PDB file of all heavy atoms in Angstrom:
ATOM      1  N   LEU A  26     136.044  98.775  87.889  1.00  0.00           N
ATOM      2  CA  LEU A  26     134.858  99.737  88.029  1.00  0.00           C
ATOM      3  C   LEU A  26     133.686  99.154  88.854  1.00  0.00           C
ATOM      4  O   LEU A  26     133.098  99.836  89.728  1.00  0.00           O
ATOM      5  CB  LEU A  26     134.377 100.227  86.744  1.00  0.00           C
ATOM      6  CG  LEU A  26     133.337 101.426  86.791  1.00  0.00           C
ATOM      7  CD1 LEU A  26     133.893 102.523  87.512  1.00  0.00           C
ATOM      8  CD2 LEU A  26     132.885 101.853  85.326  1.00  0.00           C
ATOM      9  N   GLU A  27     133.448  97.781  88.645  1.00  0.00           N
ATOM     10  CA  GLU A  27     132.483  97.128  89.476  1.00  0.00           C
ATOM     11  C   GLU A  27     132.864  97.138  90.845  1.00  0.00           C
ATOM     12  O   GLU A  27     132.016  97.437  91.742  1.00  0.00           O
ATOM     13  CB  GLU A  27     132.362  95.752  88.886  1.00  0.00           C
ATOM     14  CG  GLU A  27     131.208  94.992  89.620  1.00  0.00           C
ATOM     15  CD  GLU A  27     130.985  93.606  89.062  1.00  0.00           C
ATOM     16  OE1 GLU A  27     131.407  93.321  87.996  1.00  0.00           O
ATOM     17  OE2 GLU A  27     130.120  92.786  89.714  1.00  0.00           O
ATOM     18  N   TRP A  28     134.124  96.976  91.164  1.00  0.00           N
ATOM     19  CA  TRP A  28     134.604  96.944  92.528  1.00  0.00           C
ATOM     20  C   TRP A  28     134.478  98.364  93.133  1.00  0.00           C
ATOM     21  O   TRP A  28     134.134  98.495  94.379  1.00  0.00           O
ATOM     22  CB  TRP A  28     136.167  96.585  92.438  1.00  0.00           C
ATOM     23  CG  TRP A  28     136.899  96.477  93.635  1.00  0.00           C
ATOM     24  CD1 TRP A  28     136.871  95.564  94.608  1.00  0.00           C
ATOM     25  CD2 TRP A  28     137.916  97.481  94.011  1.00  0.00           C
ATOM     26  NE1 TRP A  28     137.809  95.989  95.623  1.00  0.00           N
ATOM     27  CE2 TRP A  28     138.388  97.137  95.322  1.00  0.00           C
ATOM     28  CE3 TRP A  28     138.484  98.606  93.354  1.00  0.00           C
ATOM     29  CZ2 TRP A  28     139.450  97.796  95.838  1.00  0.00           C
ATOM     30  CZ3 TRP A  28     139.568  99.325  93.938  1.00  0.00           C
ATOM     31  CH2 TRP A  28     140.034  98.988  95.211  1.00  0.00           C
ATOM     32  N   ILE A  29     134.798  99.324  92.313  1.00  0.00           N
ATOM     33  CA  ILE A  29     134.614 100.752  92.867  1.00  0.00           C
ATOM     34  C   ILE A  29     133.130 101.145  93.134  1.00  0.00           C
ATOM     35  O   ILE A  29     132.820 101.573  94.161  1.00  0.00           O
ATOM     36  CB  ILE A  29     135.221 101.697  91.863  1.00  0.00           C
ATOM     37  CG1 ILE A  29     136.742 101.714  91.806  1.00  0.00           C
ATOM     38  CG2 ILE A  29     134.764 103.243  92.139  1.00  0.00           C
ATOM     39  CD1 ILE A  29     137.434 102.457  90.720  1.00  0.00           C
ATOM     40  N   CYS A  30     132.289 100.666  92.184  1.00  0.00           N
ATOM     41  CA  CYS A  30     130.895 100.903  92.386  1.00  0.00           C
ATOM     42  C   CYS A  30     130.325 100.170  93.634  1.00  0.00           C
ATOM     43  O   CYS A  30     129.541 100.708  94.436  1.00  0.00           O
ATOM     44  CB  CYS A  30     130.063 100.455  91.170  1.00  0.00           C
ATOM     45  SG  CYS A  30     130.308 101.567  89.715  1.00  0.00           S
ATOM     46  N   LYS A  31     130.664  98.960  93.894  1.00  0.00           N
ATOM     47  CA  LYS A  31     130.311  98.248  95.050  1.00  0.00           C
ATOM     48  C   LYS A  31     130.789  99.024  96.373  1.00  0.00           C
ATOM     49  O   LYS A  31     130.047  99.168  97.304  1.00  0.00           O
ATOM     50  CB  LYS A  31     130.868  96.860  95.162  1.00  0.00           C
ATOM     51  CG  LYS A  31     130.183  95.909  94.211  1.00  0.00           C
ATOM     52  CD  LYS A  31     130.726  94.603  94.192  1.00  0.00           C
ATOM     53  CE  LYS A  31     130.092  93.564  93.255  1.00  0.00           C
ATOM     54  NZ  LYS A  31     130.703  92.192  93.297  1.00  0.00           N
ATOM     55  N   GLY A  32     132.106  99.471  96.282  1.00  0.00           N
ATOM     56  CA  GLY A  32     132.518 100.189  97.446  1.00  0.00           C
ATOM     57  C   GLY A  32     131.680 101.527  97.689  1.00  0.00           C
ATOM     58  O   GLY A  32     131.493 101.957  98.867  1.00  0.00           O
ATOM     59  N   LEU A  33     131.335 102.266  96.572  1.00  0.00           N
ATOM     60  CA  LEU A  33     130.586 103.459  96.735  1.00  0.00           C
ATOM     61  C   LEU A  33     129.180 103.210  97.393  1.00  0.00           C
ATOM     62  O   LEU A  33     128.679 104.054  98.091  1.00  0.00           O
ATOM     63  CB  LEU A  33     130.420 104.085  95.420  1.00  0.00           C
ATOM     64  CG  LEU A  33     131.655 104.885  94.827  1.00  0.00           C
ATOM     65  CD1 LEU A  33     131.437 105.189  93.396  1.00  0.00           C
ATOM     66  CD2 LEU A  33     132.061 106.015  95.636  1.00  0.00           C
ATOM     67  N   ARG A  34     128.636 102.072  97.014  1.00  0.00           N
ATOM     68  CA  ARG A  34     127.369 101.712  97.625  1.00  0.00           C
ATOM     69  C   ARG A  34     127.495 101.498  99.056  1.00  0.00           C
ATOM     70  O   ARG A  34     126.623 101.736  99.814  1.00  0.00           O
ATOM     71  CB  ARG A  34     126.664 100.483  96.840  1.00  0.00           C
ATOM     72  CG  ARG A  34     126.060 100.786  95.590  1.00  0.00           C
ATOM     73  CD  ARG A  34     125.507  99.530  95.004  1.00  0.00           C
ATOM     74  NE  ARG A  34     125.168  99.786  93.622  1.00  0.00           N
ATOM     75  CZ  ARG A  34     125.852  99.207  92.484  1.00  0.00           C
ATOM     76  NH1 ARG A  34     126.796  98.414  92.754  1.00  0.00           N
ATOM     77  NH2 ARG A  34     125.376  99.459  91.298  1.00  0.00           N
ATOM     78  N   ALA A  35     128.557 100.737  99.449  1.00  0.00           N
ATOM     79  CA  ALA A  35     128.733 100.298 100.761  1.00  0.00           C
ATOM     80  C   ALA A  35     129.209 101.383 101.730  1.00  0.00           C
ATOM     81  O   ALA A  35     128.889 101.245 102.932  1.00  0.00           O
ATOM     82  CB  ALA A  35     129.624  99.084 100.802  1.00  0.00           C
ATOM     83  N   HIS A  36     129.968 102.340 101.241  1.00  0.00           N
ATOM     84  CA  HIS A  36     130.652 103.243 102.070  1.00  0.00           C
ATOM     85  C   HIS A  36     130.088 104.783 101.861  1.00  0.00           C
ATOM     86  O   HIS A  36     130.513 105.372 100.973  1.00  0.00           O
ATOM     87  CB  HIS A  36     132.145 103.208 102.013  1.00  0.00           C
ATOM     88  CG  HIS A  36     132.756 101.998 102.348  1.00  0.00           C
ATOM     89  ND1 HIS A  36     132.924 101.493 103.572  1.00  0.00           N
ATOM     90  CD2 HIS A  36     133.043 100.833 101.564  1.00  0.00           C
ATOM     91  CE1 HIS A  36     133.342 100.360 103.620  1.00  0.00           C
ATOM     92  NE2 HIS A  36     133.515  99.914 102.342  1.00  0.00           N
ATOM     93  N   LYS A  37     129.030 104.972 102.703  1.00  0.00           N
ATOM     94  CA  LYS A  37     128.365 106.283 102.427  1.00  0.00           C
ATOM     95  C   LYS A  37     129.159 107.478 102.835  1.00  0.00           C
ATOM     96  O   LYS A  37     128.745 108.667 102.736  1.00  0.00           O
ATOM     97  CB  LYS A  37     127.036 106.220 103.331  1.00  0.00           C
ATOM     98  CG  LYS A  37     126.117 105.110 103.064  1.00  0.00           C
ATOM     99  CD  LYS A  37     125.675 105.140 101.561  1.00  0.00           C
ATOM    100  CE  LYS A  37     124.707 104.002 101.138  1.00  0.00           C
ATOM    101  NZ  LYS A  37     124.420 103.790  99.874  1.00  0.00           N
ATOM    102  N   GLU A  38     130.343 107.311 103.486  1.00  0.00           N
ATOM    103  CA  GLU A  38     131.179 108.407 103.871  1.00  0.00           C
ATOM    104  C   GLU A  38     131.773 109.100 102.698  1.00  0.00           C
ATOM    105  O   GLU A  38     132.177 110.308 102.802  1.00  0.00           O
ATOM    106  CB  GLU A  38     132.273 108.076 104.795  1.00  0.00           C
ATOM    107  CG  GLU A  38     133.313 107.020 104.269  1.00  0.00           C
ATOM    108  CD  GLU A  38     132.951 105.532 104.439  1.00  0.00           C
ATOM    109  OE1 GLU A  38     131.745 105.237 104.679  1.00  0.00           O
ATOM    110  OE2 GLU A  38     133.843 104.734 104.101  1.00  0.00           O
ATOM    111  N   ILE A  39     131.809 108.463 101.555  1.00  0.00           N
ATOM    112  CA  ILE A  39     132.301 109.184 100.324  1.00  0.00           C
ATOM    113  C   ILE A  39     131.243 110.192  99.904  1.00  0.00           C
ATOM    114  O   ILE A  39     130.213 109.927  99.703  1.00  0.00           O
ATOM    115  CB  ILE A  39     132.471 108.212  99.217  1.00  0.00           C
ATOM    116  CG1 ILE A  39     133.534 107.039  99.568  1.00  0.00           C
ATOM    117  CG2 ILE A  39     133.054 108.938  97.990  1.00  0.00           C
ATOM    118  CD1 ILE A  39     134.830 107.448  99.750  1.00  0.00           C
ATOM    119  N   ARG A  40     131.644 111.520  99.921  1.00  0.00           N
ATOM    120  CA  ARG A  40     130.857 112.597  99.482  1.00  0.00           C
ATOM    121  C   ARG A  40     131.200 113.133  98.131  1.00  0.00           C
ATOM    122  O   ARG A  40     130.260 113.742  97.493  1.00  0.00           O
ATOM    123  CB  ARG A  40     131.020 113.718 100.538  1.00  0.00           C
ATOM    124  CG  ARG A  40     130.651 113.315 101.954  1.00  0.00           C
ATOM    125  CD  ARG A  40     129.095 113.296 102.007  1.00  0.00           C
ATOM    126  NE  ARG A  40     128.726 113.044 103.411  1.00  0.00           N
ATOM    127  CZ  ARG A  40     128.007 112.099 103.791  1.00  0.00           C
ATOM    128  NH1 ARG A  40     127.517 111.263 102.889  1.00  0.00           N
ATOM    129  NH2 ARG A  40     127.700 111.794 105.057  1.00  0.00           N
ATOM    130  N   CYS A  41     132.402 112.950  97.676  1.00  0.00           N
ATOM    131  CA  CYS A  41     132.805 113.678  96.348  1.00  0.00           C
ATOM    132  C   CYS A  41     133.505 112.561  95.496  1.00  0.00           C
ATOM    133  O   CYS A  41     134.369 111.792  95.965  1.00  0.00           O
ATOM    134  CB  CYS A  41     133.852 114.767  96.694  1.00  0.00           C
ATOM    135  SG  CYS A  41     134.414 115.667  95.291  1.00  0.00           S
ATOM    136  N   LEU A  42     133.048 112.429  94.188  1.00  0.00           N
ATOM    137  CA  LEU A  42     133.551 111.541  93.325  1.00  0.00           C
ATOM    138  C   LEU A  42     134.089 112.326  92.149  1.00  0.00           C
ATOM    139  O   LEU A  42     133.292 113.063  91.555  1.00  0.00           O
ATOM    140  CB  LEU A  42     132.531 110.588  92.775  1.00  0.00           C
ATOM    141  CG  LEU A  42     132.854 109.596  91.706  1.00  0.00           C
ATOM    142  CD1 LEU A  42     133.929 108.589  92.301  1.00  0.00           C
ATOM    143  CD2 LEU A  42     131.607 108.906  91.165  1.00  0.00           C
ATOM    144  N   ARG A  43     135.367 112.198  91.880  1.00  0.00           N
ATOM    145  CA  ARG A  43     136.088 112.868  90.675  1.00  0.00           C
ATOM    146  C   ARG A  43     136.787 111.912  89.829  1.00  0.00           C
ATOM    147  O   ARG A  43     137.686 111.300  90.214  1.00  0.00           O
ATOM    148  CB  ARG A  43     137.084 113.931  91.219  1.00  0.00           C
ATOM    149  CG  ARG A  43     136.460 115.101  91.889  1.00  0.00           C
ATOM    150  CD  ARG A  43     137.588 116.098  92.247  1.00  0.00           C
ATOM    151  NE  ARG A  43     137.014 117.121  93.191  1.00  0.00           N
ATOM    152  CZ  ARG A  43     137.713 117.759  94.049  1.00  0.00           C
ATOM    153  NH1 ARG A  43     139.029 117.560  94.170  1.00  0.00           N
ATOM    154  NH2 ARG A  43     137.158 118.648  94.897  1.00  0.00           N
ATOM    155  N   PHE A  44     136.215 111.775  88.612  1.00  0.00           N
ATOM    156  CA  PHE A  44     136.907 110.956  87.592  1.00  0.00           C
ATOM    157  C   PHE A  44     137.297 111.952  86.502  1.00  0.00           C
ATOM    158  O   PHE A  44     136.549 112.733  85.948  1.00  0.00           O
ATOM    159  CB  PHE A  44     135.936 110.014  86.891  1.00  0.00           C
ATOM    160  CG  PHE A  44     135.594 108.793  87.792  1.00  0.00           C
ATOM    161  CD1 PHE A  44     136.222 108.552  89.011  1.00  0.00           C
ATOM    162  CD2 PHE A  44     134.907 107.698  87.234  1.00  0.00           C
ATOM    163  CE1 PHE A  44     135.961 107.370  89.788  1.00  0.00           C
ATOM    164  CE2 PHE A  44     134.583 106.591  87.938  1.00  0.00           C
ATOM    165  CZ  PHE A  44     135.108 106.410  89.193  1.00  0.00           C
ATOM    166  N   THR A  45     138.605 111.968  86.223  1.00  0.00           N
ATOM    167  CA  THR A  45     139.094 112.860  85.107  1.00  0.00           C
ATOM    168  C   THR A  45     139.824 112.101  84.192  1.00  0.00           C
ATOM    169  O   THR A  45     140.818 111.361  84.529  1.00  0.00           O
ATOM    170  CB  THR A  45     140.062 113.951  85.811  1.00  0.00           C
ATOM    171  OG1 THR A  45     139.383 114.736  86.710  1.00  0.00           O
ATOM    172  CG2 THR A  45     140.501 114.905  84.712  1.00  0.00           C
TER     173      THR A  45
END
Side-chain angles (χ1 to χ4, degrees):
L26 187 57
E27 184 176 349
W28 176 76
I29 289 170
C30 288
K31 285 180 182 180
L33 288 170
R34 284 188 191 103
H36 297 283
K37 305 296 184 192
E38 65 273 9
I39 304 291
R40 299 283 183 235
C41 181
L42 176 65
R43 290 186 193 152
F44 282 3
T45 303

